[in-house]
Amino acid sequence: MTIPWPDQIELIVFDFDGVMTDNRVLVMTDGSEGVMCNRSDGLGIDKLRDANVPMMILSTEANPVVAARARKLQ
């Protein structure tokens, strides 16, 4: 069953951890962190962008990983 889109979408807000990632964290010996992202998310983001749907990623952490992934996804 396909659920129709609303007539107008003002904004889609994605959490980063657990939405753009698999909710695991990789902790390096120097204390830095890394996460595993799914590249398939990029396809979904592209489809939303093609449909002119405004999006943003929201995170409670100031983490360079979030910024780097957001830049990559544009």
Side-chain angles (χ1 to χ4, degrees):
M1 178 168 108
T2 302
I3 298 172
W5 286 95
D7 290 335
Q8 182 177 359
I9 298 173
E10 292 185 30
L11 179 68
I12 294 179
V13 180
F14 299 98
D15 183 25
F16 187 74
D17 294 319
V19 176
M20 299 281 178
T21 73
D22 65 359
N23 210 29
R24 294 184 296 164
V25 64
L26 195 63
V27 181
M28 309 302 179
T29 56
D30 65 357
S32 62
E33 295 183 356
V35 295
M36 299 298 286
C37 296
N38 188 328
R39 290 189 174 185
S40 296
D41 290 339
L43 179 61
I45 297 292
D46 286 343
K47 288 183 179 234
L48 289 169
R49 188 179 303 103
D50 291 345
N52 295 313
V53 175
M55 299 167 278
M56 69 180 287
I57 298 171
L58 180 66
S59 180
T60 57
E61 290 190 47
N63 188 327
V65 172
V66 178
R69 186 67 181 148
R71 276 191 306 275
K72 184 147 187 156
L73 293 172
Q74 302 173 9

